[in-house]
């Protein structure tokens, strides 16, 4: 096992242009593999897929009239009624975040409780 001289991260074998090199995933450092053993270990390089953003309440969900409403003034349009819901966005030992969406213009804002 070898480590990057720049940032001390572990160098991983990667196949670049039909050659096997040892590359750092944090910085751009690469090094020619020193033996054929490293070439035998690289079969396929798998890149992790990025996770899509999660939508808490979609536009279609906001049309459902079963959502709770509160009397609160919308800063964008001045309407005085908003849908309200809570989501645990931080650690379990911290307070939840309260989201409000204007029933008229759809402007969404939050309040940390």
């Amino acid at each position: 096992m070898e480590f990057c001289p720049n940032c001390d991260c572990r160098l991983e074998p990667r196949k670049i242009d039909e050659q096997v090199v040892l590359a750092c995933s944090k910085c751009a450092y690469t090094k020619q593999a020193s033996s054929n053993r490293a070439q035998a270990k690289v079969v396929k390089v798998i890149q992790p897929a990025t996770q899509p953003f999660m939508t808490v309440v979609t536009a279609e969900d906001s049309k459902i009239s079963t959502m709770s409403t509160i009397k609160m003034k919308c800063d964008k349009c001045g309407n005085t009624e908003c849908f309200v819901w809570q989501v645990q966005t931080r650690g379990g030992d911290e307070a939840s975040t309260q989201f409000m969406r204007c029933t008229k213009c759809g402007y969404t804002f939050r309040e940390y409780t």
Side-chain angles (χ1 to χ4, degrees), residues 3-53:
F3 296 92
C4 177
N6 299 332
C7 62
D8 294 326
C9 286
R10 183 171 56 99
L11 296 177
E12 299 174 353
R14 291 196 186 145
K15 203 171 200 177
I16 300 175
D17 298 330
E18 299 301 319
Q19 288 188 338
V20 175
V21 296
L22 297 174
C24 178
S25 59
K26 190 173 181 182
C27 68
Y29 178 80
T30 58
K31 174 185 174 182
Q32 183 66 35
S34 60
S35 70
N36 289 339
R37 263 185 32 210
Q39 289 182 350
K41 288 181 184 177
V42 177
V43 177
K44 183 178 180 182
V45 176
I46 300 172
Q47 294 295 332
T50 58
Q51 296 293 325
F53 288 105

Side-chain angles (χ1 to χ4, degrees), residues 19 21 33 47 55 60 66 86-87 108:
Q19 288 188 338
V21 296
Q47 294 295 332
T55 303
E60 185 177 309
T66 58
Q86 290 187 348
V87 178
T108 304

Side-chain angles (χ1 to χ4, degrees), residues 31-110:
K31 174 185 174 182
Q32 183 66 35
S34 60
S35 70
N36 289 339
R37 263 185 32 210
Q39 289 182 350
K41 288 181 184 177
V42 177
V43 177
K44 183 178 180 182
V45 176
I46 300 172
Q47 294 295 332
T50 58
Q51 296 293 325
F53 288 105
M54 181 177 68
T55 303
V56 178
V57 177
T58 64
E60 185 177 309
D61 291 337
S62 66
K63 294 176 186 175
I64 299 172
S65 62
T66 58
M67 291 182 71
S68 300
T69 59
I70 59 170
K71 299 289 181 192
M72 180 175 260
K73 186 176 180 183
C74 174
D75 293 334
K76 193 170 183 181
C77 73
N79 186 32
T80 59
E81 188 175 39
C82 296
F83 294 116
V84 63
W85 69 96
Q86 290 187 348
V87 178
Q88 188 68 37
T89 56
R90 297 173 296 218
D93 60 339
E94 295 183 33
S96 60
T97 304
Q98 185 169 334
F99 288 90
M100 281 76 67
R101 178 173 288 160
C102 177
T103 57
K104 184 177 178 183
C105 71
Y107 176 65
T108 304
F109 51 102
R110 64 180 160 206

